[in-house]
Amino acid sequence: MAACKGKAFLQLRDEAIIRLYYNTGARLSEVGNLTLDDIDLVTDSVHYHGKGSRDRRVRFGPKTARAVSRDLRARAKRKGAELPDLRLADRGGRRLAPNGIKIMIKRRGLSAGVKGVHAHRWRHNLAHEWKRAGGDSGDLMLLMGWVSENMPRHYGAGAAAERAQETHQRMGIGENV
């Protein structure tokens, strides 16, 4: 997030995009295809048009709401503000397509000294943190827009051993002998 600090349009836009990814577990195309009507700052939620024409509404936290609100205020002053697309490119008053977001995320990651940053990484992180906090797999499926019960296992698999070790430590089995 430090790579996005500042009050310039690009910094505000990029922080809002990254926070939406991490806070909601969205797919690249879901954030990339958002319109102004998809954001609801009254309920702090976003309406995603997901894979397989499945729509869902996902709530986001106060830091994300603040970032999105600041981004929207900056966006309103830009060329192209009349466009229905939520994300605007830096120049020319055009929408920022998902591929542009992909490039921006990689660039922001590199400037922060983090390799391998991509939108889907935050989707995996959300699933891991959800499971780590003891969240229900069925609720995670609804949040992420999954229909297959294999998906929570697949997305959580990379960090499953870490969670198992944490649970083992927390339970303290054998320590009271």
Side-chain angles (χ1 to χ4, degrees):
M1 294 312 306
C4 299
K5 289 295 175 206
K7 296 183 181 181
F9 169 71
L10 289 181
Q11 293 163 320
L12 296 172
R13 181 200 70 188
D14 295 355
E15 179 183 355
I17 289 171
I18 291 168
R19 285 194 180 278
L20 273 174
Y21 278 119
Y22 202 161
N23 201 207
T24 66
R27 295 174 179 94
L28 176 64
S29 63
E30 290 172 336
V31 171
N33 293 320
L34 286 174
T35 67
L36 289 168
D37 291 339
D38 292 324
I39 295 290
D40 185 343
L41 290 175
V42 174
T43 62
D44 290 342
S45 65
V46 58
H47 177 239
Y48 287 128
H49 307 282
K51 212 173 186 179
S53 298
R54 288 186 303 272
D55 290 1
R56 68 188 189 287
R57 182 158 292 281
V58 180
R59 304 273 314 257
F60 46 79
K63 287 183 180 180
T64 300
R66 193 168 30 260
V68 169
S69 179
R70 290 179 20 206
D71 172 43
L72 289 173
R73 285 194 303 275
R75 181 196 181 284
K77 300 172 189 171
R78 303 287 296 184
K79 183 178 178 182
E82 72 285 350
L83 294 173
D85 305 288
L86 181 62
R87 300 289 161 223
L88 297 179
D90 182 27
R91 294 183 287 248
R94 295 172 291 135
R95 81 184 270 267
L96 179 65
N99 193 53
I101 292 175
K102 183 178 178 179
I103 293 166
M104 175 277 292
I105 289 172
K106 185 175 184 177
R107 188 180 71 239
R108 290 287 184 186
L110 290 174
S111 72
V114 181
K115 293 181 181 176
V117 176
H118 53 87
H120 217 68
R121 180 178 184 174
W122 289 303
R123 195 161 166 82
H124 281 271
N125 284 357
L126 188 141
H128 169 60
E129 293 297 326
W130 183 276
K131 289 180 157 251
R132 174 188 260 167
D136 179 73
S137 290
D139 292 341
L140 180 60
M141 287 176 62
L142 291 171
L143 183 72
M144 302 289 262
W146 295 327
V147 292
S148 168
E149 293 185 13
N150 291 327
M151 296 310 286
R153 278 189 300 279
H154 170 72
Y155 272 74
E162 179 184 338
R163 288 193 308 275
Q165 293 295 329
E166 290 170 358
T167 301
H168 182 249
Q169 286 293 114
R170 187 177 67 247
M171 295 171 88
I173 296 172
E175 291 298 313
N176 297 323
V177 177

